[in-house]
Amino acid sequence: MTKAAIMGYGTVGSGVAEVLAGNPEKIAWSARQGVELKYILDVRDFPESPFADKIIHDFAVIESDPEVSVVAECIGGATIAYEYVRRCLEAHKSVATSNKELIAEKGLELLGIARDNGVSLMFEGAVGGGIPIIRTLTQYFSGNKINEVFGILNATTNYILTQMNECGLEFGEVLKDAQRRGYAEADPTADVDGIDACRKICILADLSFSRNISPAWVKTTGVRSMTPADTAFAEEMGCAIKLLGRSLRRGDKVTAYVAPHLIPRGKVLYDVNGVMNAVVVNAEGIGDCIFTGAGAGKLPTASAVVADMADAVRHAYEEKRAIWESADESVFFDSDELVSRWYVRSSAAPVEMQRAFDGAVYTAGGECAVLTQPMDARQLAETAGRIPLLSAFRVLD
Amino acid sequence: MTKAAIMGYGTVGSGVAEVLAGNPEKIAWSARQGVELKYILDVRDFPESPFADKIIHDFAVIESDPEVSVVAECIGGATIAYEYVRRCLEAHKSVATSNKELIAEKGLELLGIARDNGVSLMFEGAVGGGIPIIRTLTQYFSGNKINEVFGILNATTNYILTQMNECGLEFGEVLKDAQRRGYAEADPTADVDGIDACRKICILADLSFSRNISPAWVKTTGVRSMTPADTAFAEEMGCAIKLLGRSLRRGDKVTAYVAPHLIPRGKVLYDVNGVMNAVVVNAEGIGDCIFTGAGAGKLPTASAVVADMADAVRHAYEEKRAIWESADESVFFDSDELVSRWYVRSSAAPVEMQRAFDGAVYTAGGECAVLTQPMDARQLAETAGRIPLLSAFRVLD
């Protein structure tokens, strides 16, 4: 029997407490010993909670208790969470977290501290909610070179895009509805501006290409400027619009970016709607492997954290963890160099669009849209010339 | 540095040799030491092979070589393969295999022998080709009760059904074409009669419900009697026909079966075509998690075997393996008790079908088809009464 602590009793933290309490035998089997919750750290008290007697307010209690061998970090952010996780690892406690900001920004350093202290830092819940993509990348694709990893990584924006598409609504209306339903935060910036997806694709790139890809290098476009005209044109063209995080290898170099894409019907990810997430891994010898599941939510994420806690306990004295190397920007190439077809929308005259882009012109409401020939971002700008583009999204072919 | 052996130099065995030779650094990183191929056991010689110098004909050489710590079993079947795997495990060598017949029939016994000898028996390649479903079930769903597992488990039949659907061809024609392309064996029985899918769903059920489900208990229907009329009616009804292996829990009991199903458009697995496989796991707290990838092929399967070999080496002295318990048939309930809508086809008069089944009747070529109300298999037989049913497939709703 070992003891566990939870730091932060919000949505994920309370889910971790529930999952731990709900399946003690399965967790004990997986961890090869019982895992008992001893503390929940939070600034607040929760007198109504079934776990009220576990609540503490002083981190030092966890840090100094030798009985506690594994800690779930459910605080969020990369300030207090960073300090507490570092100190847990230094106190020889393994940590499981779903905090993508922490891992994308500080993962390399914290994984080093974990290694130096003979414990584990696990973060299955940081990407893809309930989808086991982290352990799959860490453990499974070991015999195969990964060429590309991409996916629908943010449940909030996928819900918004699905609703815009199905109901023909404006972005602002759907966002408000998503906030009412609890699918979007009161401050939706990290989701709708692609920041969350950026952190997640950085973590997937780190693991896929064994190099630390900084979120600062990654060109990131969100969905805030999406209009019903875009989703309507896309549908007419036989495509769905999805916000993708994407990272790929070209020789020894890697790129990563976040942007809306048009996905043609029948292609992978076209049908992944609502709050579902999906990750595609393309590896030599295996081809595309696609992992789909609930991208968010208290229990899927909490389940991922608890699976990590059990793994950390089982492997307490073994080197079994994600690693990647530090890297400077010279390993990175600009995603603008990637060649693809583009969807462009403009208020220019259809004949002008036709002349510039040489493709079928779709018109509606005084605007028009075209799917271009394959080209990179610079060529797109040159081809457009003086035509002002209201939207320009890559097509995932 | 440790030494490895391959038993059986056919498609998968030669793929394992290629993958081992092709990515030594990644495998060494994953195994935490180098893994060098020392022997390939086969009855034949392969003078043209780049691995000709590794070929041996005497199993005892592997069995008695203490340098060999891990063996890939690529012989197939459950006779010689069974004996050699047992003796490898007893000689304290871990074994990785993609042999579903061996694991479905003898897995429980062999896993016990592995445990008793402190080594591992790994079988990621046995189900789902390149999809990492075995380790996901073994390691990830530990905090959550699994309710159901099902999927498209056989690439040959999925290719055949996809071709029948897209080209309106007869089963026999498509089978011949698949044999020409190498997607079907000269003797296709195990694939087209559902035997292969039966073995695979048994393995998934073993892992999901921790009990040994015998292939002998599992009602198994293949695709041999499928006609172009079935695929045409299904398409008119907005459905695709897929051969599914399915296992689910009801209280403390479990069932499993293999049969063609109609999958409505927009539902999970509808779009999984050709030689792709997909597995859906439904667990409490997580919901549906879907894993899709190439279901067969030399390199996907060989990659799975090599990933297992690396894992076995890394965990050489640790209890990290699949386990399930022996069970008698009292844990099993008859899949006929499951309630679902059914697709039925008959040469009866449309008015008779309408009267019996109370649904929209589709007619073509002197036959008609209906989607029934939800009912179990006994109720279906009662409802049909004297109407002879040419096909009766469940709908996956």
Side-chain angles (χ1 to χ4, degrees), chain A residues 19 23 26-27 29-30 32 124 129-132 135-136 138-146 271 276 285-286 288-294 299-300 303-304 307 310-311 314-315 318-321 323, chain B residues 19 23 26-27 29-30 32 124 129-132 135-136 138-146 271 276 285-286 288-294 299-300 303-304 307 310-311 314-315 318-321 323:
Chain A
V19 173
N23 300 283
K26 279 205 85 175
I27 293 162
W29 177 79
S30 176
R32 306 288 189 268
E124 185 61 76
I131 308 170
R135 66 196 63 215
T136 300
T138 309
Q139 297 170 35
Y140 181 62
F141 287 99
S142 55
N144 301 77
K145 202 175 243 182
I146 294 176
D271 263 333
M276 297 295 273
I286 298 186
D288 281 348
C289 236
I290 308 142
F291 305 86
T292 311
L299 288 181
S303 299
D311 258 19
R314 185 176 58 198
H315 299 293
E318 191 221 355
E319 272 218 43
K320 178 192 173 59
R321 55 177 72 92
I323 55 165
Chain B
V19 174
N23 300 281
K26 278 205 86 176
I27 294 161
W29 177 79
S30 176
R32 306 288 188 269
E124 184 62 75
I131 308 172
R135 66 197 63 215
T136 300
T138 310
Q139 298 169 35
Y140 180 62
F141 288 99
S142 54
N144 302 77
K145 202 175 244 182
I146 293 175
D271 263 333
M276 297 295 274
I286 296 184
D288 280 348
C289 236
I290 308 141
F291 305 86
T292 311
L299 288 181
S303 298
D311 258 21
R314 186 175 56 199
H315 300 294
E318 191 221 355
E319 272 218 42
K320 175 190 176 61
R321 54 177 72 92
I323 55 166

Side-chain angles (χ1 to χ4, degrees), chain B residues 196-385:
Chain B
D196 176 78
C198 171
R199 290 169 182 148
K200 289 170 174 169
I201 194 61
C202 285
I203 296 172
L204 295 179
D206 292 340
L207 292 169
S208 297
F209 305 114
S210 304
R211 291 191 186 132
N212 195 58
I213 303 302
S214 166
W217 308 341
V218 175
K219 288 192 175 168
T220 300
T221 310
V223 301
R224 215 186 267 273
S225 67
M226 194 77 57
T227 70
D230 288 317
T231 52
F233 278 129
E235 183 157 23
E236 231 185 310
M237 293 165 169
C239 297
I241 301 183
K242 303 289 177 191
L243 182 69
L244 300 185
R246 187 172 174 225
S247 178
L248 54 91
R249 191 171 57 78
R250 198 172 65 186
D252 276 348
K253 292 203 166 192
V254 172
T255 191
Y257 68 100
V258 174
H261 286 69
L262 263 69
I263 303 184
R265 188 175 296 132
K267 281 280 187 181
V268 67
L269 305 190
Y270 172 85
D271 263 333
V272 176
N273 290 320
V275 293
M276 297 295 274
N277 277 14
V279 178
V280 181
V281 180
N282 182 282
E284 275 176 22
I286 296 184
D288 280 348
C289 236
I290 308 141
F291 305 86
T292 311
K298 174 177 174 167
L299 288 181
T301 305
S303 298
V305 173
V306 172
D308 272 354
M309 295 171 80
D311 258 21
V313 168
R314 186 175 56 199
H315 300 294
Y317 300 103
E318 191 221 355
E319 272 218 42
K320 175 190 176 61
R321 54 177 72 92
I323 55 166
W324 60 82
E325 288 167 25
S326 71
D328 64 32
E329 209 168 340
S330 68
V331 306
F332 198 79
F333 70 94
D334 188 339
S335 58
D336 282 355
E337 296 172 21
L338 296 173
V339 171
S340 68
R341 294 198 295 161
W342 297 77
Y343 155 88
V344 290
R345 176 170 62 90
S346 177
S347 56
V351 62
E352 252 191 292
M353 289 288 275
Q354 160 68 40
R355 200 180 304 132
F357 291 108
D358 187 27
V361 180
Y362 295 74
T363 58
E367 294 183 343
C368 55
V370 174
L371 291 184
T372 73
Q373 298 301 309
M375 56 184 78
D376 65 25
R378 191 181 47 76
Q379 291 168 323
L380 178 71
E382 285 171 8
T383 307

Side-chain angles (χ1 to χ4, degrees), chain B residues 155-165 171 174-175 178 192 223:
Chain B
T156 303
T157 48
N158 204 45
Y159 174 80
I160 290 174
L161 291 175
T162 302
Q163 289 295 104
M164 286 181 70
N165 187 48
F171 172 80
V174 179
L175 174 60
V192 303
V223 301

Side-chain angles (χ1 to χ4, degrees), chain B residues 44-260:
Chain B
R44 296 163 292 173
D45 274 308
F46 297 87
E48 308 299 319
S49 158
F51 305 102
D53 61 320
K54 316 273 189 202
I55 301 280
I56 59 167
H57 306 296
D58 180 4
F59 170 70
V61 173
I62 295 172
E63 187 180 27
S64 62
D65 188 335
E67 272 198 337
V68 173
S69 69
V70 63
V71 178
E73 184 278 302
C74 309
I75 298 167
T79 53
I80 299 175
Y82 165 70
E83 188 194 330
Y84 287 177
V85 167
R86 182 175 52 71
R87 286 168 59 183
C88 282
L89 297 171
E90 287 169 352
H92 305 285
K93 301 172 195 316
S94 287
V95 174
T97 181
S98 62
N99 184 334
K100 46 254 168 195
E101 185 177 355
L102 183 68
I103 300 300
E105 298 287 350
K106 302 286 187 183
L108 182 68
E109 179 196 343
L110 291 171
L111 286 164
I113 295 171
R115 187 172 47 236
D116 293 346
N117 287 279
V119 292
S120 299
L121 171 63
M122 320 270 290
F123 47 90
E124 184 62 75
V127 184
I131 308 172
I133 186 64
I134 301 297
R135 66 197 63 215
T136 300
L137 286 174
T138 310
Q139 298 169 35
Y140 180 62
F141 288 99
S142 54
N144 302 77
K145 202 175 244 182
I146 293 175
N147 298 315
E148 181 168 347
V149 58
F150 65 97
I152 296 170
L153 303 175
N154 180 272
T156 303
T157 48
N158 204 45
Y159 174 80
I160 290 174
L161 291 175
T162 302
Q163 289 295 104
M164 286 181 70
N165 187 48
E166 289 179 358
C167 311
L169 295 172
E170 294 282 348
F171 172 80
E173 292 173 75
V174 179
L175 174 60
K176 265 184 221 151
D177 173 63
Q179 285 168 323
R180 264 197 307 274
R181 290 166 183 261
Y183 293 160
E185 308 272 346
D187 176 2
T189 309
D191 291 324
V192 303
D193 291 336
I195 300 166
D196 176 78
C198 171
R199 290 169 182 148
K200 289 170 174 169
I201 194 61
C202 285
I203 296 172
L204 295 179
D206 292 340
L207 292 169
S208 297
F209 305 114
S210 304
R211 291 191 186 132
N212 195 58
I213 303 302
S214 166
W217 308 341
V218 175
K219 288 192 175 168
T220 300
T221 310
V223 301
R224 215 186 267 273
S225 67
M226 194 77 57
T227 70
D230 288 317
T231 52
F233 278 129
E235 183 157 23
E236 231 185 310
M237 293 165 169
C239 297
I241 301 183
K242 303 289 177 191
L243 182 69
L244 300 185
R246 187 172 174 225
S247 178
L248 54 91
R249 191 171 57 78
R250 198 172 65 186
D252 276 348
K253 292 203 166 192
V254 172
T255 191
Y257 68 100
V258 174

Side-chain angles (χ1 to χ4, degrees), chain A residues 29-180:
Chain A
W29 177 79
S30 176
R32 306 288 189 268
Q33 60 178 299
V35 180
E36 193 190 342
L37 180 61
K38 188 167 182 183
Y39 305 117
I40 297 172
L41 177 72
D42 204 285
V43 289
R44 298 162 294 174
D45 274 309
F46 297 87
E48 308 299 320
S49 158
F51 304 102
D53 60 320
K54 316 275 190 202
I55 300 281
I56 59 166
H57 306 297
D58 180 6
F59 170 70
V61 173
I62 294 173
E63 187 180 28
S64 62
D65 188 334
E67 273 198 338
V68 173
S69 70
V70 62
V71 178
E73 184 279 303
C74 308
I75 298 168
T79 54
I80 298 175
Y82 166 68
E83 188 195 329
Y84 287 177
V85 167
R86 183 175 51 71
R87 285 168 60 182
C88 282
L89 297 171
E90 287 169 352
H92 305 287
K93 301 171 194 316
S94 287
V95 174
T97 180
S98 61
N99 185 333
K100 45 252 168 198
E101 184 178 355
L102 182 69
I103 300 301
E105 298 286 351
K106 302 285 188 183
L108 183 67
E109 178 195 345
L110 290 172
L111 286 165
I113 294 171
R115 187 172 47 236
D116 293 345
N117 288 278
V119 292
S120 299
L121 171 63
M122 319 272 289
F123 46 91
E124 185 61 76
V127 184
I131 308 170
I133 187 64
I134 300 296
R135 66 196 63 215
T136 300
L137 285 174
T138 309
Q139 297 170 35
Y140 181 62
F141 287 99
S142 55
N144 301 77
K145 202 175 243 182
I146 294 176
N147 298 315
E148 181 168 350
V149 58
F150 65 96
I152 297 171
L153 303 175
N154 181 272
T156 303
T157 47
N158 204 44
Y159 174 80
I160 290 174
L161 292 175
T162 303
Q163 289 295 106
M164 286 181 70
N165 187 48
E166 288 179 359
C167 312
L169 295 171
E170 294 281 349
F171 173 80
E173 291 173 74
V174 178
L175 174 60
K176 264 185 219 150
D177 173 63
Q179 286 170 322
R180 265 197 306 274

